[in-house]
Every structure is written in C-alpha cells, then in structure tokens.
Amino acid sequence: MNILLILGIIIALIIIIILLILYKGVKLSLLLQKKEAQLNYNLIISIFSLPVFKRSNEDKSDEDNEDDEEDNGDGEENEQDEDADEEDKGIKEKYNEIKAILKKLKECKPYLKPFIKHLLRSLDFKKISGFLKIGLNDHTKTVKIASFIWSVGAIVNTVSKPTSLIVEPTFTEEVIDIDMELELKINLLTILIQTIILLTKREIRELIEMILDYRKSE
C-alpha cells in the first residue's frame, strides 16, 4: 500500500511539473544577421531560464562543407534533374494535385480561425529590435513591405515592451540586409489544449490525412 502511495505521489509530481513547464512555456531567443550572401543566426530555447537547446549556423558549417565536397559532382546532376522535373510539371498540374486539399482547407476555415487567434495569444513578445535594408526590382513592393514592417512595429510597440524596427528602403539596388534580435515566450499549455480541441474536428483530421497522402505521393 505504501509503495502504491509513493508511486501515486511521484506520478502526481511529474504531472504537476509537466503542467508547470507547459504553462510557463519556453523562451525563444533569436539573433539573425544577413549581409550580402552571408546569413548568420543564433537560436536559444530556454525553460525556466535554463537553456535546453542551442543552434547556430556555425555549428553545422563544417558538416555542410564536408557534404558539399562529397556530393559536389552528383549534386549538380541531381539539381539539374529536379529543375527539369519542375519545368515539366506546369502550374495547372500542380493546382489540380492540391485542388482537393484547398477545398478541404476552405471547409476547415471556421475551425482554423479561432485556433490561429489562440495561437497568436499564446505568443508573448518580450523584445523585438532590428534593422532591415530592403531593395527589390519592383519599387512598389519595396514600399509595401517597408510599410507593413513599420505598421507591425507600431502595433507591437508598448511602454513595457519597446519595439525598435528600423527599415531602410532603397531604390538604387537589389538588396536584403537584416540585423534582428527577437525574444518571445510561448505558452505551450494553451497550444496543446487548442490543438487537442482542433483535432476533435473530423474535417481537420481529414485535411491532415490528405496532406500526408500528398506528401507520400511526391
């Protein structure tokens, strides 16, 4: 009897710890820098302020170099074959392939909209700061993107969560340079509950099955 009681207490403690982790969520810190063709990033995921996952492009730069050396000859041929296959398959054929998925996605819209709202509410942005220099071949698109980022910064910016998003549109060259720092907290418990609720809908389960079948057929 004592053993069963001890096991019950241990299981209860484990459940409480899991619920606390889910409720407190995880903290995500991302540093992103891109200048010319070089993209550098540093991602840290923490639980209770303790880093549990770290990743940067420096961690796998050596592995990528080794893979590039080994696959240099065959890789070019494979890329050419893939490009040829993509050219053979027109946009209309691709649309016909996913037409059923798009139709089912439309049916799922009443369930997906509240899920996305809850998903966004589960994200708590602690810090957003960055600099973006953007120049596209289409000046209108350049202005639209810059205006969109400015508006996002104005919406997110508060006294308690200051946001600094600087956008420098340029019309003299095609360039995208980024220097950004992002910190956000994710409430995993809310996401888990809303995901379970979403999966109770038959249309959502059918949509997932259709997507998986399509991926297998590729």
Side-chain angles (χ1 to χ4, degrees):
M1 190 69 179
N2 291 333
I3 295 177
L4 292 176
L5 180 61
I6 293 172
L7 287 175
I9 293 174
I10 292 174
I11 293 172
L13 287 174
I14 292 174
I15 293 174
I16 291 172
I17 292 172
I18 293 174
L19 290 175
L20 280 174
I21 293 175
L22 292 173
Y23 177 75
K24 292 293 291 184
V26 298
K27 181 181 178 182
L28 186 148
S29 300
L30 176 65
L31 292 175
L32 184 64
Q33 293 179 324
K34 179 184 179 298
K35 193 168 184 180
E36 296 178 352
Q38 182 64 32
L39 175 64
N40 297 317
Y41 69 89
N42 185 27
L43 174 65
I44 300 176
I45 298 177
S46 305
I47 298 177
F48 294 118
S49 300
L50 298 175
V52 295
F53 178 82
K54 294 182 180 180
R55 190 65 183 268
S56 67
N57 58 333
E58 295 178 358
D59 296 337
K60 60 180 207 173
S61 58
D62 295 335
E63 298 176 3
D64 291 341
N65 290 334
E66 292 177 0
D67 293 339
D68 289 341
E69 291 177 359
E70 293 177 359
D71 301 335
N72 190 26
D74 297 336
E76 293 180 359
E77 294 179 0
N78 291 334
E79 288 179 1
Q80 291 176 357
D81 293 339
E82 290 176 0
D83 292 339
D85 292 339
E86 290 296 328
E87 290 176 0
D88 293 339
K89 185 180 290 185
I91 297 176
K92 187 175 180 179
E93 293 181 14
K94 291 181 181 179
Y95 172 75
N96 289 332
E97 289 178 357
I98 63 172
K99 188 176 181 179
I101 296 177
L102 295 176
K103 183 178 179 181
K104 179 60 66 175
L105 183 62
K106 189 176 180 179
E107 294 178 7
C108 296
K109 189 176 179 180
Y111 308 120
L112 291 173
K113 285 183 67 176
F115 174 77
I116 293 173
K117 286 182 180 179
H118 286 291
L119 185 64
L120 294 175
R121 289 174 186 169
S122 69
L123 305 179
D124 183 10
F125 290 92
K126 299 296 185 182
K127 180 180 181 181
I128 301 178
S129 63
F131 170 82
L132 171 64
K133 181 179 180 181
I134 180 170
L136 304 175
N137 56 2
D138 188 332
H139 294 174
T140 303
K141 289 182 180 179
T142 300
V143 174
K144 285 183 178 180
I145 293 175
S147 301
F148 174 75
I149 296 175
W150 282 325
S151 63
V152 170
I155 294 172
V156 177
N157 187 32
T158 62
V159 175
S160 59
K161 301 172 185 177
T163 300
S164 175
L165 292 176
I166 301 173
V167 185
E168 181 184 325
T170 177
F171 306 102
T172 58
E173 58 179 337
E174 292 186 31
V175 61
I176 298 179
D177 290 342
I178 301 173
D179 189 349
M180 181 171 287
E181 184 177 359
L182 171 68
E183 290 185 6
L184 72 95
K185 191 176 179 181
I186 306 173
N187 189 323
L188 298 178
L189 184 59
T190 300
I191 295 176
L192 178 61
I193 293 173
Q194 295 302 320
T195 301
I196 293 173
I197 294 174
L198 187 68
L199 291 175
T200 60
K201 310 302 180 183
R202 177 178 54 82
E203 292 85 353
I204 295 296
R205 296 195 300 270
E206 291 175 351
L207 174 63
I208 294 173
E209 290 177 3
M210 293 174 68
I211 294 174
L212 292 176
D213 290 340
Y214 174 73
R215 293 294 302 271
K216 291 178 181 179
S217 64
E218 285 186 333

